[in-house]
Amino acid sequence: MTDFPEQQPQHPTYPPRPPHDPAGPRPGTTGWASGGHVPPPVPPAPGPAAPSAPRHRARRGVGLMAAVAIAAAAIGGGTATVVERLTTDGAVAAAPAAVNGTTVSSGTTGTVTGVAQAVSPSIVEISASSGSGQSTGSGVIITSDGEIVTNNHVVSGASQITVRLSDGKSYQASVVGTDPAKDLALIKLQGASGLKAAALGDSDDLRVGDQVVAIGSPEGLTGTVTSGIVSALDRDVTVAKDDGGQQQQSDPRQSWPFEFGGQRFNGDTGSSKTTYKAIQTDASLNPGNSGGALINMRGQIIGINSAMYSPSSSSGSTAGSVGLGFAIPVNTVKADLDALRAGGGS
């Protein structure tokens, strides 16, 4: 019996296997490479079943995000460049509006300069004449038709009162009412209108150390501005109580006498006296500042300057301010206005 080599069964449908398969199946095909030549690999056709498809989709996603980021950066840079160019060319006017208080007028708010500009037109110089001489003081306009608050000792006993405004205009004035107990007086200009009235503040809001400005006419120097702070509050100041008889201050270089702490300053206060609570300030005050304004940094009147210490020199004349001045609180003035307008004090 003859042995024959075992024969492999042939499948009736598929062709016979090639004798040599050096490259294996060609990716992406269902057949085999013919002969020994292997053609270049062909990328797999896209399809949901392809194993490399998710990796390709992830790469496309990353690439898309990178492209969007680059485009956004380019647009943002372009926008910034456009804004910068517009701002440089002056076409963007809204940018400065974000900063408040940068104009010249607003910049003076809260400064001595701003207070002086705002209030000086409301402060006047008062010249009071009598048979015994003439005195000079200051006053504050409180109505547009010429009502003026001043110290009683400035106008007491005067037969003629002349008022000069900050613009140089002069008016005759008459006494409306006086309150010797508070050293206050109200006078009225004759034929005046359209004047700038001062704003009256609240002296109860004052604190020691607050900055203040004083405006008046010391030694006849109209519109003199000085500044300082509130040194103390509620000082008991005693002054001569002049009930309208003989005018006591005939020499404008002599300051009004007062007493404080049991001591006398600037002369003898006499036998008739009155005491009131005063604001103490180190703002420079000199003879002629009496009746003028003590002002807060908002431009509001918070006191009427009424007394100041001016020590005498060896020659007997008065020296300059030593930073010891007193003012009647404006709340005292406001409480007394109705009585002054009625002709007397409260």
Side-chain angles (χ1 to χ4, degrees):
M1 178 173 162
T2 305
D3 293 328
F4 293 94
E6 183 180 355
Q7 298 292 326
Q8 297 292 331
Q10 299 294 323
H11 196 281
T13 305
Y14 294 96
R17 291 172 65 95
H20 181 63
D21 184 17
R26 193 169 115 190
T29 65
T30 57
W32 297 84
S34 61
H37 176 70
V38 180
V42 177
S52 59
R55 183 169 61 253
H56 282 269
R57 280 198 299 271
R59 289 176 181 173
R60 283 198 300 271
V62 172
L64 179 60
M65 291 174 64
V68 171
I70 293 172
I75 293 173
T79 304
T81 303
V82 171
V83 171
E84 181 181 359
R85 288 177 180 172
L86 288 176
T87 305
T88 304
D89 294 340
V92 180
V99 180
N100 295 323
T102 57
T103 64
V104 174
S105 59
S106 297
T108 62
T109 301
T111 66
V112 175
T113 299
V115 171
Q117 290 176 346
V119 184
S120 288
S122 302
I123 311 303
V124 303
E125 177 187 307
I126 300 174
S127 297
S129 302
S130 68
S132 60
Q134 180 175 310
S135 66
T136 302
S138 305
V140 180
I141 300 172
I142 61 171
T143 63
S144 61
D145 61 350
E147 281 189 345
I148 295 173
V149 170
T150 186
N151 287 140
N152 178 61
H153 73 257
V154 171
V155 298
S156 177
S159 57
Q160 182 178 356
I161 300 174
T162 303
V163 175
R164 184 168 66 169
L165 307 185
S166 62
D167 60 5
K169 293 181 180 178
S170 294
Y171 292 87
Q172 296 300 305
S174 57
V175 176
V176 176
T178 63
D179 187 350
K182 295 184 177 67
D183 195 18
L184 289 173
L186 183 68
I187 64 175
K188 178 72 179 297
L189 302 185
Q190 299 173 5
S193 63
L195 305 182
K196 182 175 181 180
L200 303 184
D202 186 353
S203 52
D204 288 344
D205 288 341
L206 286 177
R207 298 293 181 268
V208 173
D210 285 350
Q211 189 174 5
V212 290
V213 174
I215 303 179
S217 301
E219 307 292 354
L221 300 174
T222 305
T224 296
V225 177
T226 58
S227 65
I229 63 168
V230 173
S231 304
L233 298 170
D234 298 326
R235 292 296 201 194
D236 288 324
V237 174
T238 300
V239 298
K241 184 177 180 181
D242 186 355
D243 292 322
Q246 183 67 30
Q247 187 178 26
Q248 298 188 28
Q249 185 179 341
S250 59
D251 186 350
R253 295 173 299 174
Q254 299 298 318
S255 55
W256 185 251
F258 69 97
E259 296 179 11
F260 173 72
Q263 300 183 55
R264 291 181 178 179
F265 301 93
N266 309 333
D268 188 0
T269 54
S271 58
S272 180
K273 307 173 185 179
T274 183
T275 301
Y276 55 83
K277 299 289 186 180
I279 302 165
Q280 182 181 331
T281 178
D282 71 347
S284 179
L285 301 178
N286 289 284
N289 273 113
S290 291
L294 192 66
I295 312 158
N296 64 22
M297 302 312 291
R298 295 189 296 275
Q300 300 170 329
I301 310 299
I302 47 87
I304 301 297
N305 298 319
S306 58
M308 67 290 302
Y309 176 43
S310 298
S312 298
S313 66
S314 57
S315 62
S317 62
T318 56
S321 171
V322 294
L324 187 59
F326 301 94
I328 302 169
V330 75
N331 286 2
T332 300
V333 177
K334 292 190 291 187
D336 209 25
L337 271 179
D338 288 342
L340 290 172
R341 285 168 174 154
S346 57

